[in-house]
């Protein structure tokens, strides 16, 4: 039995883990809070895509390479919007705004299968509507400047692109787990952590690293919404990368946080061994 497990057994936890979400919870369909959360995810993803894709198109529209916001500004737009929207919606829906985040939290039993699938659907619908607004307001530059769609950049292989998406999403989802961990909140209470801030910074840093490779997906709804509205062959040919990569990255982050950092498997084994009835 590990030292951590032994200490918790002797002294009791100084934090409370929420109970695992049921795999199927049809009772959620009777709750207004469930539909309110879906609306919040839809609106948040719509706003996220509208502001960020408009920033991308606005930058590409500048004739002077130094006249736009640049790569740094684009990364700030993505990271800043995530910070704002997670802060606004965390108390309503959890502030996922990303199917990969939802998938990771589902694997960790933080949300039910029904809620996870519903979130993903509404996130994708919100993304489509958000990019649709950009095209409606900036139609000519949108069509001529790539539509903000994620594609593998020239000079990079699909393997490199999917690796970048896996690592980038791992950073994001790992940050989400760490920033919202009840154990951290209890034991590091002297260090005030506003959860949306490190999550937004994670998105910002990942964009700095991967914009030159894939334009940075790490969010299947963001990639899907742009592909639907832009609707060009290259965007659709590469689309699988922006689903497989983020989902694998989310799986790896969930497993690392839950089973290594939080030692879920060791704690379960310790509880089993300490039970006199076993």
């Amino acid at each position: 039995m590990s030292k951590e497990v032994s200490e918790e057994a002797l002294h009791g936890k100084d934090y409370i883990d929420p109970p695992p979400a049921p795999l199927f919870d049809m009772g959620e369909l009777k709750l207004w809070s469930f539909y309110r959360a879906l609306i919040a995810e839809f609106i948040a993803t719509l706003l996220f895509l509208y502001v960020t894709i408009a920033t991308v198109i606005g930058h590409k529209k500048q004739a002077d390479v130094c006249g736009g916001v640049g790569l740094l500004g684009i990364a700030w737009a993505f990271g800043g919007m995530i910070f704002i929207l997670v802060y606004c919606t965390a108390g309503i829906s959890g502030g996922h705004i990303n199917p990969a985040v939802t998938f990771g939290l589902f694997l960790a039993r933080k949300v039910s299968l029904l809620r996870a699938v519903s979130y993903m659907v509404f996130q994708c619908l919100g993304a489509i509507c958000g990019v649709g607004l950009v095209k409606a307001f900036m139609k000519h530059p949108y069509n001529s400047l790539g539509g903000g769609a994620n594609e593998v950049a020239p000079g990079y292989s699909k393997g490199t692109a999917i690796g970048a998406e896996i690592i980038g999403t791992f950073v994001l989802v790992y940050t989400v787990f760490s920033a919202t961990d009840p154990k951290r909140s209890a034991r590091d209470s002297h260090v005030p952590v506003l959860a949306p801030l490190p999550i937004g910074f994670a998105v910002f840093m990942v964009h700095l690293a991967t914009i030159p490779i894939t334009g940075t997906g790490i969010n299947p709804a963001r990639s899907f919404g742009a592909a639907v509205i832009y609707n060009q062959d290259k965007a659709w040919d590469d689309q699988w990368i922006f689903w497989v990569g983020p989902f694998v990255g989310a799986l790896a982050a969930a497993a690392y946080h839950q089973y290594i950092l939080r030692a879920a498997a060791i704690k379960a084994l310790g509880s089993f061994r300490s039970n006199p009835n076993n």
Side-chain angles (χ1 to χ4, degrees):
M1 191 183 300
S2 70
K3 179 180 179 182
E4 180 180 342
V5 175
S6 299
E7 288 178 352
E8 288 180 359
L10 290 173
H11 305 294
K13 291 184 177 180
D14 54 0
Y15 63 95
I16 298 175
D17 277 318
L23 183 60
F24 297 102
D25 187 5
M26 302 307 293
E28 289 186 304
L29 294 174
K30 301 177 182 179
L31 302 174
W32 162 242
S33 60
F34 174 70
Y35 299 99
R36 181 180 62 183
L38 295 182
I39 295 169
E41 287 293 311
F42 172 83
I43 296 298
T45 315
L46 183 156
L47 294 174
F48 175 60
L49 268 293
Y50 170 71
V51 171
T52 55
I53 300 301
T55 302
V56 171
I57 301 301
H59 166 66
K60 290 185 175 181
K61 187 179 177 182
Q62 299 292 327
D64 181 1
V65 293
C66 297
V69 296
L71 184 149
L72 186 65
I74 292 172
W76 270 121
F78 279 89
M81 280 303 292
I82 287 297
F83 168 63
I84 292 168
L85 294 169
V86 171
Y87 180 82
C88 292
T89 60
I92 301 171
S93 65
H96 297 193
I97 322 171
N98 184 337
V101 171
T102 301
F103 180 64
L105 293 173
F106 165 70
L107 293 177
R109 300 289 302 276
K110 306 294 185 182
V111 294
S112 67
L113 178 61
L114 173 63
R115 185 175 290 262
V117 172
S118 300
Y119 273 21
M120 292 180 193
V121 170
F122 276 75
Q123 288 159 357
C124 289
L125 291 175
I128 293 169
C129 293
V131 182
L133 287 176
V134 177
K135 183 173 182 179
F137 296 159
M138 310 169 72
K139 187 171 184 179
H140 178 67
Y142 178 88
N143 290 330
S144 61
L145 296 173
N150 287 126
E151 299 174 354
V152 180
Y156 292 96
S157 68
K158 293 186 185 298
T160 299
I162 197 169
E165 288 295 311
I166 290 172
I167 295 171
T169 310
F170 179 93
V171 172
L172 170 59
V173 178
Y174 173 39
T175 304
V176 170
F177 275 107
S178 298
T180 59
D181 190 341
K183 184 175 181 179
R184 172 186 291 274
S185 299
R187 297 188 176 178
D188 296 338
S189 57
H190 60 288
V191 182
V193 177
L194 181 63
L197 185 59
I199 295 170
F201 262 104
V203 172
F204 167 67
M205 296 304 296
V206 170
H207 273 75
L208 290 180
T210 57
I211 283 176
I213 304 173
T214 61
T216 308
I218 68 169
N219 183 335
R222 174 259 186 273
S223 303
F224 181 71
V228 167
I229 300 300
Y230 186 53
N231 198 28
Q232 297 295 318
D233 290 343
K234 175 63 172 171
W236 284 119
D237 290 343
D238 294 344
Q239 182 66 198
W240 67 272
I241 293 171
F242 302 102
W243 285 85
V244 174
F247 274 49
V248 172
L251 169 63
Y256 174 63
H257 185 269
Q258 294 296 105
Y259 291 100
I260 297 179
L261 298 187
R262 292 298 303 273
I266 295 175
K267 290 178 183 178
L269 179 61
S271 297
F272 177 81
R273 288 178 174 175
S274 63
N275 189 335
N277 296 322
N278 292 328

